[in-house]
Amino acid sequence: MKEHKGAHAFNSSHHTVVTIGTFDGVHVGHQKIIERLVNTAKAGNLESAILTFFPHPRMVLQKDAGIKLINTIQERKEILARSGVDHIIIHPFTQQFSRLSAREFVRDILVHKLRAKKVIIGYDHRFGRNRTADIEDLREFGHEYGFDVEEISKQDVEEVAVSSTKIRNALLEGHVEKANRYLSYPFSLAGTVVKGKGLGKEFEYPTANLHIEEEYKLIPKNGVYVVRAVIDGEQYFGMMNIGTNPTVGGTEKTIETHFLDLEKDLYGKYISIELLTRIRDEKKFDSVESLKRAMKQDEAFSRQYIKDNYAQ
């Protein structure tokens, strides 16, 4: 798989089959489109290409800094790279790019840069300035510029019944297992382990405090989760608390993970942590002793969950 920063960086003598989209989450619906893309390319002796955009168009056009994404751009690249596609083109989404007319987009990007012989898109795809062009327009351009258009039917899309919005909502409501089913892989949070207040050690549960750089990354509902991570090539399970630690008067939101049976110093390490299931809401206990008892129960729940679902 080759990654290209913008369509201008794409350089291939081969003709391509292209699909276009934001692909936040790269969920089972997206995977269906990508599978069709890869198979169509192989059958036609063409190369498969995904044209995706960053930042998210809503961040640029609506100044919607509040939109939170399921994947960081790095995570999206890694997931797409596993799909068997030949080329991933990450095109910068700018005000200037958004002003391209539908014809300019098709002629300059799809035809001249990507050498598209076929374009596969979802049934409701719109493109060009103000998103005024639709599938019928694309078909007309196809006749003019010599490429075929294949539409993923409404029925095919609805059969999967998944959308990035549904997944975001599931995560914000704490339904991480539901989100993971929609994604077909565990939702994860990645960042650098930084020094916290050291409270975990006092509770006999030392924690790794995760700092996530990307402000647009969606953080699920506050609460306690069973998690898994690969650290230095070894798999570890643990329990993560997302929240403000109200029992000890905390106000800032933190993401802290106590890894079970791990005796390593993780400070400064960049780690990715998968969320497997949610144990409970974060709550303010009436004493530190009550909080410690709850953490013991969380650990017992976590160990049982791991045994039931991940025992070798």
Side-chain angles (χ1 to χ4, degrees):
M1 189 281 304
K2 289 182 184 160
E3 181 201 327
H4 310 269
K5 292 206 168 25
H8 61 278
F10 181 83
N11 187 10
S12 173
S13 55
H14 284 80
H15 288 293
T16 61
V17 184
V18 179
T19 191
I20 308 157
T22 309
F23 294 106
D24 186 31
V26 198
H27 56 59
V28 289
H30 295 144
Q31 289 162 29
K32 200 169 179 178
I33 294 172
I34 295 166
E35 189 181 349
R36 192 175 301 188
L37 175 82
V38 170
N39 291 340
T40 303
K42 282 181 180 157
N45 199 21
L46 300 164
E47 290 190 348
S48 52
I50 290 173
L51 175 60
T52 189
F53 307 102
F54 187 79
H56 192 287
R58 268 170 58 190
M59 290 176 176
V60 177
L61 298 179
Q62 299 166 20
K63 295 283 182 275
D64 187 356
I67 183 173
K68 300 295 182 188
L69 302 185
I70 300 159
N71 306 131
T72 65
I73 189 62
Q74 186 57 37
E75 289 164 348
R76 196 192 317 169
K77 284 193 298 202
E78 286 168 9
I79 298 158
L80 287 172
R82 298 198 289 266
S83 67
V85 73
D86 295 313
H87 302 279
I88 298 173
I89 299 107
I90 299 168
H91 200 82
F93 196 92
T94 60
Q95 287 283 1
Q96 186 184 358
F97 177 74
S98 76
R99 286 194 283 270
L100 285 182
S101 67
R103 176 178 291 280
E104 286 168 329
F105 172 72
V106 169
R107 182 192 65 209
D108 299 349
I109 306 283
L110 296 184
V111 178
H112 291 166
K113 294 279 196 285
L114 304 187
R115 299 169 57 91
K117 279 289 162 198
K118 187 164 199 170
V119 179
I120 299 178
I121 54 168
Y123 73 95
D124 57 352
H125 184 81
R126 303 190 73 83
F127 64 101
R129 188 185 302 151
N130 300 328
R131 300 181 74 234
T132 49
D134 62 13
I135 182 90
E136 291 313 320
D137 297 304
L138 192 59
R139 287 202 171 105
E140 282 182 28
F141 287 130
H143 291 313
E144 188 178 340
Y145 291 110
F147 61 84
D148 293 329
V149 176
E150 183 181 338
E151 182 181 32
I152 305 285
S153 73
K154 186 172 180 182
Q155 186 184 349
D156 266 7
V157 173
E158 288 181 351
E159 201 178 280
V160 179
V162 173
S163 70
S164 300
T165 303
K166 269 189 186 175
I167 296 165
R168 287 185 203 120
N169 289 341
L171 291 166
L172 292 171
E173 289 160 11
H175 304 312
V176 69
E177 289 193 48
K178 184 184 193 179
N180 290 349
R181 281 197 302 277
Y182 286 155
L183 291 166
S184 84
Y185 63 87
F187 173 81
S188 63
L189 295 169
T192 305
V193 178
V194 295
K195 279 217 184 299
K197 293 199 171 76
L199 295 170
K201 282 198 185 83
E202 288 177 37
F203 303 144
E204 299 149 45
Y205 284 97
T207 59
N209 194 347
L210 200 67
H211 170 69
I212 297 172
E213 203 168 295
E214 297 86 357
E215 288 179 11
Y216 62 85
K217 172 74 177 184
L218 185 147
I219 309 298
K221 186 179 182 183
N222 285 6
V224 184
Y225 295 82
V226 182
V227 299
R228 173 178 63 179
V230 173
I231 300 167
D232 297 334
E234 295 285 324
Q235 175 176 257
Y236 295 96
F237 292 90
M239 46 199 207
M240 173 187 282
N241 185 76
I242 300 175
T244 58
N245 299 306
T247 305
V248 291
T251 52
E252 266 182 55
K253 190 177 214 168
T254 58
I255 300 167
E256 297 178 85
T257 303
H258 171 72
F259 286 106
L260 306 168
D261 315 315
L262 172 66
E263 297 291 327
K264 282 183 184 180
D265 180 357
L266 299 176
Y267 285 131
K269 269 195 187 302
Y270 186 88
I271 56 175
S272 178
I273 305 174
E274 297 175 342
L275 281 67
L276 306 176
T277 193
R278 192 167 187 272
I279 306 174
R280 62 173 174 84
D281 282 340
E282 182 181 55
K283 62 187 257 196
K284 183 172 182 176
F285 293 93
D286 52 17
S287 69
V288 168
E289 286 312 310
S290 304
L291 172 57
K292 280 186 182 174
R293 279 198 297 276
M295 290 170 90
K296 288 262 188 293
Q297 288 169 347
D298 296 339
E299 181 184 354
F301 178 98
S302 300
R303 289 190 183 279
Q304 191 59 50
Y305 179 86
I306 295 154
K307 190 178 167 189
D308 292 345
N309 293 279
Y310 294 93
Q312 297 300 314

